[in-house]
Amino acid sequence: MTRTTVHLVRHGEVFNPERVLYGRLPGYRLSERGQRMATRLGEFFADHDVASVTASPLQRAQETATPVARTHDLALGTDARLIEAGNSFEGHRVTDGAGSIRDPRVWPRLWNPFQPSWGEPYEQQIARMTAVVRDARDAFPGRESVLVSHQLPVWVTRLRAEGRPLVHDPRRRQCALASVTSLEFSGRTLVSVAYTEPAADLLIGADPVPGA
């Protein structure tokens, strides 16, 4: 049976000195460290049989995907289904004070962690991500595809693939910056999920802003 792999990649570190939960806001580019992470991903995938590279339309994902596409002389595709999760805290700061996600005035939004109540439902994220994965799997049987997205959509897609509950502690997500979550299929059946951090050494001191 043909083995096909679809890699879900989280973008690299973002230049965000004001520590804003940027979500889908435009204009957030990679930091210098993030650019090095993107280069590392290009090196990591250099000896893989990559047939396609597709990214979220957000700038940080596009910049992360570019070295991978360039390594394989591929046109970089864009798919809106890979975009960051919608979040009502978008634009808030992660630090303390007015406008912070720690401000008690925003706590009523947190009433339902199962959906979640503060943003795009987990099931909706999984549905759109899974659709992209299936499209890549079916378009390039026997080869590998790279999909560059964002932490939460990648993480909940992995949770569903592994049959785990979707409700989780964001601090315990195994989805670091520039990490690779690999879904391997035999035919159209998922047979394994693997995780690796090609830029692990660059994570030391990296900005840990959540939900990016």
Side-chain angles (χ1 to χ4, degrees):
M1 188 70 71
T2 300
R3 292 288 179 123
T4 304
T5 304
V6 179
H7 303 282
L8 302 180
V9 177
R10 184 185 175 193
H11 62 78
E13 184 190 63
V14 174
F15 180 71
N16 184 20
E18 296 182 353
R19 295 189 53 71
V20 171
L21 188 63
Y22 35 76
R24 295 177 175 178
L25 294 174
Y28 282 87
R29 60 178 174 81
L30 294 182
S31 65
E32 187 278 333
R33 186 198 302 265
Q35 293 169 8
R36 286 189 283 141
M37 290 177 173
T39 298
R40 184 70 60 82
L41 285 166
E43 296 167 351
F44 173 79
F45 283 111
D47 60 352
H48 288 245
D49 183 25
V50 175
S52 70
V53 182
T54 308
S56 154
L58 295 175
Q59 183 175 351
R60 58 191 183 271
Q62 294 277 313
E63 291 177 350
T64 299
T66 295
V68 182
R70 184 182 300 125
T71 295
H72 292 276
D73 196 24
L74 294 169
L76 174 58
T78 300
D79 196 317
R81 295 174 295 178
L82 296 171
I83 201 167
E84 172 66 287
N87 191 320
S88 67
F89 291 113
E90 184 178 282
H92 286 261
R93 298 194 310 275
V94 185
T95 52
D96 294 324
S100 166
I101 61 175
R102 297 188 177 97
D103 186 336
R105 289 174 293 183
V106 305
W107 292 352
R109 303 184 201 177
L110 304 174
W111 67 275
N112 183 2
F114 296 94
Q115 186 177 26
S117 55
W118 58 86
E120 182 183 5
Y122 294 142
E123 292 290 350
Q124 185 172 312
Q125 295 177 54
I126 293 167
R128 60 180 172 83
M129 291 288 289
T130 299
V132 186
V133 169
R134 288 174 177 167
D135 286 351
R137 176 200 64 192
D138 295 345
F140 303 102
R143 301 192 66 190
E144 302 178 43
S145 296
V146 175
L147 306 178
V148 181
S149 185
H150 307 268
Q151 187 189 59
L152 183 54
V154 171
W155 179 241
V156 293
T157 301
R158 176 179 171 182
L159 290 178
R160 174 55 53 81
E162 295 179 334
R164 291 197 272 165
L166 302 181
V167 179
H168 62 279
D169 182 342
R171 297 168 299 182
R172 297 181 179 274
R173 293 173 187 161
Q174 190 182 37
C175 190
L177 293 164
S179 62
V180 180
T181 299
S182 302
L183 308 177
E184 184 179 9
F185 297 88
S186 177
R188 304 187 73 185
T189 301
L190 180 67
V191 293
S192 70
V193 179
Y195 175 81
T196 188
E197 297 177 355
D201 58 308
L202 297 176
L203 294 174
I204 301 171
D207 185 357
V209 172

